[in-house]
Structure formats: structure tokens, C-alpha cells
Amino acid sequence: MTGVKHMKWWGWGVEGVAFNHENKPAMAPFVKEAVGLDLTKPAIAPMAFEDLDVPASQLSDKLKSALTKAVGETYVITDDMDRVVHTYGKSLRDLLRIRNNVLPRVPDAIVYPADEDQVHAIVEAAVDADAVVIPFGGGSNISGSLEPRADEKRQVISLDMGRMNRVLEIDEESGLARIEAGVLGPDLEQQLNDKGWTIGHYPDSFTHSTLGGWVATRSSGMQSDKYGDIADICKGVRVVQPGTTTVVRPLPSTSTGPSIREMILGSEGRLGVITEVWAQVHRQPEQRVVHAYFFPSFTAGVEAMREIAESDASPSITRVSDARETAFSMATKKAGKGFGQYAEAGLMKFLQVRGWNLDEMCLSFIGYEGSKTHVSMNKAICDRIVKAHGGIGVGTGPGVLYDQKKFDTPYIRDFLLDRGAAGDVSETAAPWSKLIKVYNSGVAAVQKAYEELGTKGWIMCHLSHSYHAGACLYFTFAFVYDEETALEQYDVVKRAIQQSFVDNGGTLSHHHAVGTEHSPWLEQDISAGGVAMMSGLFQAVDSGENFNPGKIINEG
Amino acid sequence: MTGVKHMKWWGWGVEGVAFNHENKPAMAPFVKEAVGLDLTKPAIAPMAFEDLDVPASQLSDKLKSALTKAVGETYVITDDMDRVVHTYGKSLRDLLRIRNNVLPRVPDAIVYPADEDQVHAIVEAAVDADAVVIPFGGGSNISGSLEPRADEKRQVISLDMGRMNRVLEIDEESGLARIEAGVLGPDLEQQLNDKGWTIGHYPDSFTHSTLGGWVATRSSGMQSDKYGDIADICKGVRVVQPGTTTVVRPLPSTSTGPSIREMILGSEGRLGVITEVWAQVHRQPEQRVVHAYFFPSFTAGVEAMREIAESDASPSITRVSDARETAFSMATKKAGKGFGQYAEAGLMKFLQVRGWNLDEMCLSFIGYEGSKTHVSMNKAICDRIVKAHGGIGVGTGPGVLYDQKKFDTPYIRDFLLDRGAAGDVSETAAPWSKLIKVYNSGVAAVQKAYEELGTKGWIMCHLSHSYHAGACLYFTFAFVYDEETALEQYDVVKRAIQQSFVDNGGTLSHHHAVGTEHSPWLEQDISAGGVAMMSGLFQAVDSGENFNPGKIINEG
């Protein structure tokens, strides 16, 4: 046993944890209405692992022996379960393929290094054998960054960083922690919290993603408004490359340009194996609250967030759900929970009296962190702006709920998939002036795709991660799928929304990376010249294409 | 006439503007004491331009004709004055060389494009002729980023961006402005101010540096604590490369990794010609104040700035001069100006009574911007921290003075050079935990160098540009030089301080770029692997080495 735990092979999270709707009385009627799905019907059970056709490992004795020499026998794994778990991430495409026994290429071995020297030994052995190395963190990626190329003829090694999971040191004066790249979110946060610190990085995938994965995919967390994206948090990094370790020392800022740090960020394993990160960490705040608000429309909410971004306030979270996501949130809350002292029915009546169209109503969260004075002063600024845009505060009840539920969303996808609806997410970022256009176009593109497919579907969205110049729009979509053509149906929907992003001034992804899922839009995002620069960089570091080839730059 | 103005060929700034000490009664005695220089002696006049040996232009008729076709006859200049002005930046090395008639290689022509199409035409003509293209902004660089290689056999074109100086549009909703790269600081700020906006970027070179230059060198301004470094401000960019224009669209954030934007930042012309920048701009603040403080020691001041960086306060400027810089500041103020309502003598007496050692006293500035409430709340936090570290506030008088004088410092260097003292600056950034060590080591290294040289010298320093994880230390040094060996003397001092930076955890430069001046320390800064990545990138974009070759990566 390697001691490294993984998510279940067929879906999100760990065995035994699942979403269920029994305690959420509004959900079944809501889903019935939204996509026509009957949640009371029995779910489809995923196929048995034994029924998968897992291609045999092609690991040569020679490479196996070199890898064994590098990490020891216990940590070179060739069994089918581990190999399947390391084949894909957790995108809808991944889940559909694995549930349909689509496994054209599975890594030939999983190797678990204990330290940087062992990573070096693995890398040298792999390059000597002209094998492919794919670094693996928590396996939560949804952009196709982890899979071997289907037609890969060379041996494929999945390099699992799970044993390298320690906070090595905290520079308390500088607020910098040196951390091994394979640590999972909760483990990292526990080690930091024990000493009074936090990294403040909470992506939706937090429970099953790693620090190294965050850096390799340019991740962003829910509290990025305060703590920054991982690109801001990562101040130094160590990367194992053939024959060398590139070291970016922890520095607050530097004019040593073209930034090596920013080449590693988002490199998805193509520039080597990230072994250590110097991350910016913060003392745990004196106070931390998430307040909920309602806006009469999505446009009003977006405009308020823009004004907050321009103001002197510095909240930790700014989030506005559109009307559909608001309705979904209210439908998936547990019976009896919710708006605390505000009786929900009473609130709705109050808003109706004030002339609100409840179908357009949008739920919003604003988070505040810091000293009590800082929190109250920031809240005062935000409250005033919310009010000026017709919004109303409803206290901290829903915020507490949001905080508790925030990492559960991916489980819902599995739940729906078992019941006939395929869902996934697509997100982008754009300047404030283009956000509503990106929003409307995204919704329209997906609805048009549903029409073309002749299926009933759902799309909802929230704004999050505000910056001075713009924000992220995060879309969730789900549709009733056809067993035979589900992947093709997904492609139609996914292509439609991605194309609408780049056509309207958005990027291909704000925090889910490029991988293979988004690479068809790379050139439209960064121009042909940008692709040539990236390609030249990959070629210079990895002329043999041994490091996660096929990712980021589209191979058609 | 091209209509583009330049600094004088032999020094900083424009003809007719110079530093003088007549109205600063404390300066002459101070300089006498510090480095033994007699300011009352007549100054050395710079040599006459006519006495320079300017090598003849090697521009071929063919390339001249192609360039003329590209931009028109008026904008292809081969006269000696323009060529000399475009040979160097304004480092001490540059000034010493130009004053000593050291001009091994001077650009063969200066070309002034009016728009991006013309830049393309220049680039294509230059690459066709296998000529070298060196983009030129304001010419304020002090890292050797602008000079042709001394042994360059090919034709050299200095591509002056001075005609491309317009703010093209402001996206008011997003706080983003599209701006031509050749605009000088004051012109840019004027165009923005006229519409109620500011870029908030004020490097010391502000009056004579350009937006494109800031991006190409990863510049930082005095108010970076609020507005960010240029790397934060630059949200999109257009770069002309042979056969293509790389376009980084304006985006608040993106996960499209390795960041093309961050490859262009700090590229010093090696990846093509920056023609346009999408910059983050801000509404002019309701209030803007700079408060002065005194600390009993540099360590106390640095520790206070660290605590402010960790606090909820978000000042626009954090700056602490060491005791020597404090003494210098007080010696260079005009008679009768200074500490406003605080009679200086009275203040000093007060501090002495409180037990301060006035020789250790350090002047500090903290800037506040925003609404009146924001300013007063932030000031309250900072005041409390200053007080906890033994500091004392002395009002806004010195801050007003600082604001007025802030762009004058480079003139002092010319003034001293004319009078026998050679000075320049070196700056770095390091984590908070290492700052005092970097400070002490830097001072000791330079003092040891003076001893070795047997010359009398001065070194002073301030902390500025605070970040969560650390800050910048900015050293100014000056020594009485020997006419014959001044450059070698400078090398001894410069090498000593740069080596002490990288040896003690600092970067080779926080905001002055690498160029040729700092390239010997590149590998120690970013490791051999980092240099290989950078080199591979340059090679991929510019295999013919036509774009500012020899910069950033050390050629020995």
C-alpha cells in the first residue's frame, strides 16, 4: 500500500459519500420542471470495475527496474485499479468515458516518489526510456490535462505526488510557507491552521486537489478577492526537469523578466514536475463572515459587484448567482434550513410588495475578513452599494449554508448522471464592460445547442472572483442525455459555450486551465503568435515530448 | 524634424534643467563631510558634442530605402546627435562612457513609426536585411538594455516609439485604457487626468520613460502599494513580431498558462516591439496625502512597514529611509522649507529628550488615497503601528516636499559627476525576514569596495514597495572617482552590491530590469534551468537574433 488515497474510479469524491435529495423536498419537483427528469425513478448503477476492459500495462522490465530503484518496489504500481484511477480527471467527458468502458490508453505504471531526489530519478529513468511522464496531484482536473494521448505508443508513467505532502517550513516574518507540491487542500490547511496560518485558497475542488495541481493549472479559490489567484499566492517554485532543477526563489516581486515563475504557472506538467512551492500564507483572520444579499436582477447584481471592485472596499468573496442558479440553490436546501430569522415566505412576500419579479431575483454572497473594524467598515461600503442597486441584505444564514455546502457541488453531477442528466461547468473571465454580453451570449449559445440536440437542458451562472478590471462568470449546465450519443451531445454544448466566450471578449477559462478540453480555443484566446511562443518554450525544455505531451496546445 | 523630444546626450533630463545647491545651504557641508568633495569648486564642463568620435552610419541604401518606404523620409534619421542619443540609456556606466568618448557602436539609423503597420514594415525590412532592431522609449534605462553590442557587425536600427503616444480609448466600465506604447509618463497622465483617470504609475524616471518601456522592463512606480507594479497594471498587450502580431487581450485574469503576457513583461525588446498596452486605470481619488514619520532606527521602520503590510491597512506608499538617506534628505532641502509647523530644531530637541540617537533617526513616508473615510481609517491603523515601533508622525509638510522633489533625484547624479563624485543606484527585493540582512550586507559590501579602491564613498538606502511577503530595498551610492579608472571603480562597487543581493536572498533587481548591467547575476537569480527556459523562448521567437540581442542573458 502506498498510503495515498484517491477518488473513486467512476466519479467525484470518496466511496460512501454521495449527494442525495431525500432531505431536500423542493429538489425533485424543481428538476422535473427544469429538465423533465424524474428523480424518484431508480438510479442507474455504474458498471462494475471488473467489467472494464483495461489494456495491459506495457511497462518494460528495464523501466520497471529503474523506477523500482528510484522509489522502491512498494511505490511502483501496475495494478488495474490504480492505473484506471490515473487515466482521467473528473470532467463529464472523463466520467462518460470511464462509465462506458472507453479506455484507449491507460498509464503503464503509477510511481509515488517520497522526495525531490526520487522525482529526479523517475524523470531520468523515464527520459532514458523515452517514456511519457504525466504528473498527477489529486486527479480533480476537468480539462483533460491528465490523460495519456489515445495513440501514445511509448510507455506512460503517471507520477503521483501524493506522498510529498508536508509543509516544510513557515517563514513567519514574511508570511511564506515552503510546501511539498503533493499536499491536498484539507491536509495543507490543517498543517497551516495548526500554527495559526491559512493559505486562503479554496477552489471548488479543494478537498481533492493539490497545491502542485493548483499551480500547474493556474487555479483560483473562492476567496481570491482577498487572497489572490494561485498565480499571486505562488511566490517561488521548484521544478524537476531532465538534468536540472529550476528554482524560482521566493521573492515578493522582481524585474527579472520573462517570468520563469509565470512559465511554470499553468504549465500542466509540460515543463517538468513541480515538487515544491513557496506560497504566500496569512495569519487566520480575527473575523470571517459571509453575508447574503438579494438583487432584483442579475444585471443589478453584476453592476453592484463592479462598483464594489472600484470602491475602497476589499471583501474576500463577491458572488452573484443568476436567477436560475438562485432558484436551484433554493431548491437544493435542506428542509427547514435556510434564511435563519428571515422566514423565507415572509421575505418573498416583502419583496413582491416592493415590486420585485421573484423569477428574476438573484442571490449574492459577499465575504468579509479581517479585524472587526475592517469587517464592519467594508460591509458598510458594500451595503451602501448593494442598496444603491436595489439589493437587500438577508444576513449570514445563507452564507453559513454556502460555506458548509461549497465543496459538495461536484457530487451533484454524479447524482444526476446516474439519473439521466449530464452536467458540467464552463467558466471564463472578461472585463466588466463585456460581462453581461458574455453572460447573455453564453446562455443563448447553450440554449441553442439544446434546441439543436432536441433535448431539455438547464443552464445557470454566477459571477465570482472580482478584479479591478472584470470578473469570472461560472456556468453550470445539465441536459437529459441519450445513452448512445452523450459525448457527442456534450461536445455540441461545450463547443457552443466556449466559442461564445472567446467571441465576446472572454478567456477560454478563468481557473480550469487549458488541457485538451479547451485547447481548440487557445489560438483564439492568445493569438497565433502567442501559441508559437508557448510552443517554442515547450520545445526548448522538452524536445523529446516526454512531459505530458498533447496538453495546452491543440493537436487537432 | 520628427517632433519627438529626447533627453540631453550627456546626462539626465532636458537642457537647461539642472540640480543646484546654491539654495540648499546644508548641502555643501554635508557633501564635504560625506565624501570630501568641495562643491564650491568650479564644475567640470562636459565635453562638446563636436569633439565626440561618432562612427559613421553603416545603413545600406537598400535598407534605408525600405525604411523610408515604411515611415517616410522625415522619420528615418541618421544624424550623429540622434544616433548618439539612442546609443545608451542613462546609467552611470552610460554617462561615463559618453563623457569619455567611448562609442564603439552607435545605431546606424533611428526610425520613428507612426502606427503599428509602420512598425511591422520596419521589422520586416530589418529582418530581411538581417539588421538588429532595438526598441527605444524614453531612453531612461539604467541597466544597459538599449545599447548595440560593441562588436555588432550587422546594421543596427533604433526603433523610437515616440510618435505613438496616444490614449486610444478608455473602457470606463472596466477601468481599462488602450494606450500606444511610446507615450511618456506626463503626457499619458495628462491625457488620462483630462478624463478623470490615472494610471497611478510613477517610477523615478516618470518624466522621461514610456509605457512600453515600463512593460519591457517590469517597472514599478512609487505608489505600487496601491496601484501594483506594471506587471499588475498591464492587462493586455500587442507585440509586433516578424510576420505576426501577438495579441494578449485585456482580461482581468485567465488560466491560459504559461502566461504570454508575463513573457512580454520584462522582455526588453527581445520578443518583438510592444506597440500597445491595455492598462488598468483608476478614477482619480477623492483624497491623496503623504504623511511623514520618524523612526528611531531603520530596523524599527522596516518592522513597522512589515506589520502594516500584514495589517488590514492598504496605503499607497510605504517608504523608510535609512539614517544616511535621512541625513541626505535633510541636507538637500531648500532653506526655510521642510517640516511646516514643526520647527525642525524644536522637533530634534524633542526627540533627543525622548532619548533618540539623532544619528540613527530615519525618515519615513506613508501615502494614503481614497475616500476621506478610507484615508483616515488607514492612517489610524498605520499610526498605531508606527507608534508601537517607537515612531512619531510629523505631518504632511515633508510629504508635500517629497511629492514635489520626487522626479529630481537623477539630476543630482549629473551635478555630482561634474564635481568629481560618481553615483548610481542598485535595488532589490527580498522577503521581510531577509531584508535587514540584505540591507546590512549591501552596505558592508559597498563600504568594503570603497576600502579596496581607497576612495571615499557614500551609501544610503530606503525601503519602498511593500508586499505581503517582502519589500524593495533601494540603495544609492556615490564615491569620489579617479578620472582614468572611474568605470573600473564603478564595476568594483556595482559587482559588490549585486553579489550581496543574490547571496542574501534578494533578486538582481526589483524594477530596473536585467539588461547587460545585471545579466551576470541572472543564473544566480533564476537558476540554470530558468536561464535555459528563457533562452529557449528567445531562440524560438527570434532565431536570427535580430531583436535586441545580448540583453538579459549574459554573454560574458
Side-chain angles (χ1 to χ4, degrees):
Chain A
M1 289 296 289
T2 63
V4 178
K5 290 206 171 61
H6 297 108
M7 286 193 272
K8 52 200 176 201
W9 66 272
W10 57 270
W12 184 265
V14 288
E15 295 283 358
V17 178
F19 179 85
N20 84 77
H21 72 106
E22 315 299 338
N23 54 353
K24 303 175 188 77
M27 187 167 177
F30 178 87
V31 171
K32 181 79 188 168
E33 167 75 21
V35 290
L37 215 60
D38 186 353
L39 294 187
T40 61
K41 283 200 181 162
I44 311 152
M47 70 191 293
F49 184 78
E50 292 65 35
D51 295 338
L52 289 184
D53 298 310
V54 183
S57 168
Q58 298 169 25
L59 189 69
S60 69
D61 289 345
K62 192 179 165 199
L63 181 52
K64 182 168 192 173
S65 139
L67 295 173
T68 302
K69 196 171 159 219
V71 298
E73 207 177 340
T74 314
Y75 300 107
V76 180
I77 307 290
T78 54
D79 82 34
D80 282 356
M81 176 59 89
D82 223 19
R83 290 173 56 228
V84 166
V85 163
H86 287 81
T87 300
Y88 294 130
K90 297 296 179 189
S91 71
L92 179 70
R93 184 187 306 283
D94 298 335
L95 301 189
L96 285 174
R97 286 186 295 182
I98 214 158
R99 285 163 177 239
N100 284 288
N101 197 14
V102 179
L103 292 164
R105 193 68 178 90
V106 167
D108 300 304
I110 323 303
V111 195
Y112 295 83
D115 57 34
E116 192 175 282
D117 286 347
Q118 293 193 358
V119 174
H120 258 297
I122 296 164
V123 161
E124 304 301 342
V127 171
D128 275 355
D130 192 22
V132 164
V133 174
I134 304 179
F136 191 97
S140 66
N141 183 275
I142 59 168
S143 300
S145 307
L146 294 171
E147 64 193 75
R149 291 194 282 205
D151 59 356
E152 185 58 71
K153 300 283 180 277
R154 298 172 295 174
Q155 298 173 81
V156 176
I157 307 300
S158 181
L159 194 158
D160 190 303
M161 292 294 294
R163 294 172 68 205
M164 294 177 63
N165 55 15
R166 292 169 303 159
V167 173
L168 298 171
E169 59 179 301
I170 301 177
D171 173 349
E172 303 225 340
E173 269 183 274
S174 311
L176 286 168
R178 186 161 69 93
I179 307 162
E180 289 181 315
V183 67
L184 289 164
D187 186 7
L188 167 59
E189 211 36 35
Q190 190 59 56
Q191 292 182 60
L192 291 174
N193 289 177
D194 285 347
K195 296 184 170 168
W197 296 87
T198 176
I199 193 170
H201 186 76
Y202 306 103
D204 290 355
S205 64
F206 179 75
T207 49
H208 296 94
S209 55
T210 62
L211 175 58
W214 301 338
V215 170
T217 58
R218 293 185 71 90
S219 162
S220 188
M222 294 171 191
Q223 283 151 243
S224 71
D225 290 35
K226 173 180 168 70
Y227 294 98
D229 299 327
I230 201 72
D232 305 302
I233 294 169
C234 168
K235 291 295 173 204
V237 67
R238 293 178 68 92
V239 184
V240 168
Q241 295 165 327
T244 196
T245 303
T246 289
V247 181
V248 177
R249 298 175 305 152
L251 290 164
S253 183
T254 168
S255 68
T256 308
S259 166
I260 302 302
R261 195 182 64 83
E262 288 271 2
M263 292 182 201
I264 302 304
L265 280 155
S267 58
E268 301 187 26
R270 293 212 54 168
L271 294 174
V273 184
I274 297 167
T275 53
E276 267 181 37
V277 174
W278 273 102
Q280 191 167 278
V281 293
H282 296 251
R283 301 260 181 209
Q284 288 179 284
E286 183 186 335
Q287 198 173 31
R288 180 177 182 279
V289 284
V290 182
H291 277 263
Y293 302 85
F294 278 111
F295 285 100
S297 71
F298 191 57
T299 309
V302 170
E303 183 52 30
M305 296 305 123
R306 188 195 73 72
E307 219 170 283
I308 288 170
E310 198 186 332
S311 78
D312 288 327
S314 48
S316 56
I317 301 171
T318 48
R319 184 183 166 113
V320 188
S321 293
D322 71 357
R324 278 179 295 263
E325 194 173 279
T326 302
F328 176 80
S329 290
M330 296 177 75
T332 51
K333 66 186 172 51
K334 291 185 186 166
K337 300 245 168 171
F339 295 93
Q341 76 265 40
Y342 291 82
E344 190 180 322
L347 174 67
M348 296 306 132
K349 191 139 197 179
F350 171 75
L351 294 175
Q352 262 177 326
V353 170
R354 286 182 64 170
W356 285 38
N357 176 351
L358 295 189
D359 291 340
E360 296 296 317
M361 182 181 77
C362 291
L363 177 61
S364 168
F365 292 113
I366 305 180
Y368 308 96
E369 288 187 25
S371 70
K372 282 177 185 168
T373 325
H374 182 79
V375 165
S376 73
M377 185 178 156
N378 276 277
K379 182 167 181 295
I381 298 174
C382 294
D383 281 358
R384 188 181 44 71
I385 294 171
V386 167
K387 198 177 168 194
H389 291 276
I392 181 172
V394 293
T396 53
V400 171
L401 217 63
Y402 162 73
D403 244 13
Q404 290 166 353
K405 294 201 312 181
K406 64 191 175 190
F407 302 128
D408 295 347
T409 320
Y411 286 102
I412 301 181
R413 196 180 48 173
D414 293 350
F415 170 86
L416 289 173
L417 203 54
D418 292 342
R419 285 157 184 85
D424 214 333
V425 296
S426 267
E427 39 71 58
T428 186
W432 290 109
S433 61
K434 294 178 177 166
L435 276 183
I436 291 297
K437 193 169 146 212
V438 171
Y439 170 71
N440 287 330
S441 308
V443 170
V446 168
Q447 280 170 340
K448 185 153 167 276
Y450 293 154
E451 269 167 47
E452 276 171 34
L453 293 171
T455 186
K456 196 151 185 191
W458 177 256
I459 179 160
M460 63 189 189
C461 177
H462 64 257
L463 172 152
S464 55
H465 311 277
S466 293
Y467 305 84
H468 176 81
C472 165
L473 287 180
Y474 194 111
F475 293 85
T476 303
F477 56 87
F479 57 92
V480 177
Y481 65 93
D482 173 72
E483 286 272 353
E484 298 299 306
T485 61
L487 255 180
E488 289 84 346
Q489 290 181 310
Y490 167 73
D491 276 336
V492 170
V493 179
K494 179 76 178 174
R495 272 201 301 265
I497 193 159
Q498 289 294 136
Q499 192 60 51
S500 85
F501 288 166
V502 293
D503 284 349
N504 291 286
T507 180
L508 56 76
S509 168
H510 166 262
H511 59 267
H512 286 155
V514 186
T516 49
E517 195 70 26
H518 302 135
S519 63
W521 291 274
L522 183 69
E523 185 173 325
Q524 294 173 63
D525 195 1
I526 63 170
S527 79
V531 176
M533 288 168 70
M534 225 184 240
S535 173
L537 175 65
F538 294 159
Q539 192 63 26
V541 173
D542 178 34
S543 58
E545 301 210 345
N546 298 109
F547 291 91
N548 208 6
K551 309 310 177 320
I552 305 180
I553 293 175
N554 189 27
E555 298 189 326
Chain B
M1 291 294 288
T2 62
V4 177
K5 290 204 175 61
H6 297 110
M7 285 193 270
K8 51 201 175 200
W9 65 271
W10 56 270
W12 184 264
V14 287
E15 294 283 357
V17 177
F19 179 84
N20 83 77
H21 71 106
E22 315 298 337
N23 55 355
K24 302 175 188 78
M27 189 169 178
F30 178 86
V31 171
K32 181 78 187 166
E33 165 76 20
V35 289
L37 216 59
D38 185 354
L39 293 188
T40 62
K41 284 200 183 163
I44 312 154
M47 70 191 294
F49 184 78
E50 293 65 35
D51 295 335
L52 288 183
D53 299 310
V54 183
S57 168
Q58 298 168 24
L59 190 68
S60 70
D61 289 346
K62 192 176 166 201
L63 181 52
K64 184 170 190 170
S65 139
L67 295 174
T68 304
K69 195 170 160 218
V71 298
E73 208 177 335
T74 314
Y75 300 107
V76 180
I77 307 290
T78 55
D79 81 34
D80 283 354
M81 177 59 90
D82 223 20
R83 289 173 55 229
V84 166
V85 162
H86 286 80
T87 300
Y88 294 130
K90 296 296 179 191
S91 71
L92 179 71
R93 185 188 305 282
D94 298 336
L95 301 189
L96 286 175
R97 287 186 296 182
I98 213 157
R99 285 163 175 238
N100 285 289
N101 197 15
V102 178
L103 292 163
R105 193 69 178 89
V106 166
D108 299 304
I110 324 304
V111 195
Y112 295 85
D115 57 33
E116 191 174 284
D117 286 347
Q118 293 192 0
V119 174
H120 259 295
I122 296 165
V123 161
E124 304 301 341
V127 171
D128 275 356
D130 192 22
V132 164
V133 175
I134 304 180
F136 192 96
S140 66
N141 183 275
I142 58 168
S143 301
S145 308
L146 294 171
E147 64 194 78
R149 292 195 280 205
D151 59 353
E152 185 58 72
K153 300 282 179 277
R154 299 172 294 174
Q155 300 174 82
V156 176
I157 308 300
S158 180
L159 195 159
D160 190 305
M161 293 293 294
R163 294 170 69 205
M164 294 178 61
N165 55 14
R166 292 170 303 159
V167 174
L168 298 170
E169 59 178 297
I170 301 177
D171 173 349
E172 303 224 340
E173 268 182 274
S174 311
L176 284 168
R178 185 161 70 92
I179 308 163
E180 289 180 316
V183 68
L184 288 163
D187 186 6
L188 167 59
E189 214 30 37
Q190 191 59 57
Q191 292 182 59
L192 291 174
N193 289 177
D194 285 349
K195 296 187 170 165
W197 295 86
T198 178
I199 193 170
H201 186 76
Y202 306 105
D204 289 356
S205 64
F206 178 75
T207 50
H208 297 94
S209 57
T210 62
L211 175 59
W214 301 338
V215 171
T217 58
R218 295 186 70 92
S219 163
S220 188
M222 296 175 191
Q223 282 151 244
S224 71
D225 290 35
K226 173 180 166 69
Y227 293 99
D229 298 328
I230 202 71
D232 305 302
I233 293 169
C234 168
K235 291 295 172 204
V237 67
R238 293 177 68 92
V239 184
V240 168
Q241 295 165 327
T244 195
T245 303
T246 289
V247 182
V248 177
R249 300 175 303 153
L251 290 164
S253 183
T254 168
S255 67
T256 308
S259 166
I260 301 302
R261 195 181 64 83
E262 289 269 2
M263 292 183 202
I264 301 305
L265 280 155
S267 58
E268 302 188 25
R270 294 210 54 167
L271 296 174
V273 184
I274 298 168
T275 53
E276 267 182 35
V277 174
W278 273 104
Q280 192 167 279
V281 294
H282 295 252
R283 301 265 181 205
Q284 288 179 280
E286 184 186 333
Q287 199 173 29
R288 177 175 184 282
V289 285
V290 181
H291 277 262
Y293 302 84
F294 279 111
F295 285 99
S297 72
F298 191 54
T299 309
V302 170
E303 183 52 29
M305 296 305 124
R306 189 197 72 72
E307 219 171 281
I308 287 170
E310 198 186 332
S311 78
D312 288 328
S314 47
S316 57
I317 300 172
T318 48
R319 183 183 168 112
V320 187
S321 293
D322 72 357
R324 278 177 295 262
E325 193 173 281
T326 301
F328 176 81
S329 290
M330 295 177 78
T332 53
K333 65 188 174 49
K334 291 186 187 166
K337 299 247 168 167
F339 295 93
Q341 76 265 38
Y342 291 83
E344 190 179 318
L347 173 65
M348 294 306 132
K349 191 139 198 180
F350 171 75
L351 293 176
Q352 261 175 326
V353 169
R354 285 182 66 170
W356 285 39
N357 176 352
L358 296 189
D359 291 339
E360 295 297 316
M361 180 181 79
C362 290
L363 178 61
S364 168
F365 293 113
I366 306 179
Y368 308 96
E369 289 189 24
S371 70
K372 283 177 185 169
T373 326
H374 182 78
V375 165
S376 72
M377 184 178 159
N378 276 276
K379 182 168 179 298
I381 298 175
C382 294
D383 281 358
R384 188 180 45 71
I385 294 171
V386 167
K387 198 177 167 195
H389 292 275
I392 181 172
V394 293
T396 54
V400 170
L401 218 63
Y402 162 75
D403 244 14
Q404 288 165 355
K405 295 201 311 180
K406 62 190 175 189
F407 302 128
D408 296 347
T409 319
Y411 286 102
I412 302 182
R413 197 181 44 174
D414 293 349
F415 170 86
L416 290 173
L417 201 54
D418 292 342
R419 285 157 183 85
D424 214 332
V425 296
S426 268
E427 37 73 59
T428 186
W432 289 110
S433 62
K434 294 180 176 165
L435 276 182
I436 291 298
K437 194 170 148 214
V438 170
Y439 170 71
N440 287 329
S441 309
V443 170
V446 168
Q447 281 170 338
K448 183 153 168 276
Y450 292 155
E451 270 169 45
E452 275 171 33
L453 294 171
T455 186
K456 196 151 185 190
W458 176 257
I459 178 158
M460 60 190 191
C461 177
H462 64 256
L463 171 152
S464 56
H465 311 277
S466 293
Y467 304 84
H468 175 80
C472 166
L473 287 180
Y474 193 109
F475 293 85
T476 303
F477 56 87
F479 58 92
V480 177
Y481 65 93
D482 173 70
E483 287 273 352
E484 300 299 305
T485 61
L487 254 179
E488 289 84 344
Q489 291 181 307
Y490 167 72
D491 277 337
V492 170
V493 180
K494 179 75 178 175
R495 272 201 300 265
I497 192 160
Q498 289 294 138
Q499 191 60 51
S500 86
F501 289 167
V502 294
D503 283 349
N504 291 287
T507 179
L508 57 78
S509 168
H510 167 261
H511 59 268
H512 286 155
V514 186
T516 50
E517 196 68 27
H518 302 135
S519 63
W521 292 274
L522 183 68
E523 186 174 322
Q524 294 173 62
D525 195 359
I526 64 171
S527 79
V531 176
M533 288 167 71
M534 226 184 239
S535 173
L537 174 65
F538 294 159
Q539 192 62 28
V541 172
D542 177 34
S543 57
E545 301 211 344
N546 298 109
F547 291 92
N548 207 8
K551 308 313 176 320
I552 304 179
I553 294 176
N554 189 28
E555 298 189 329

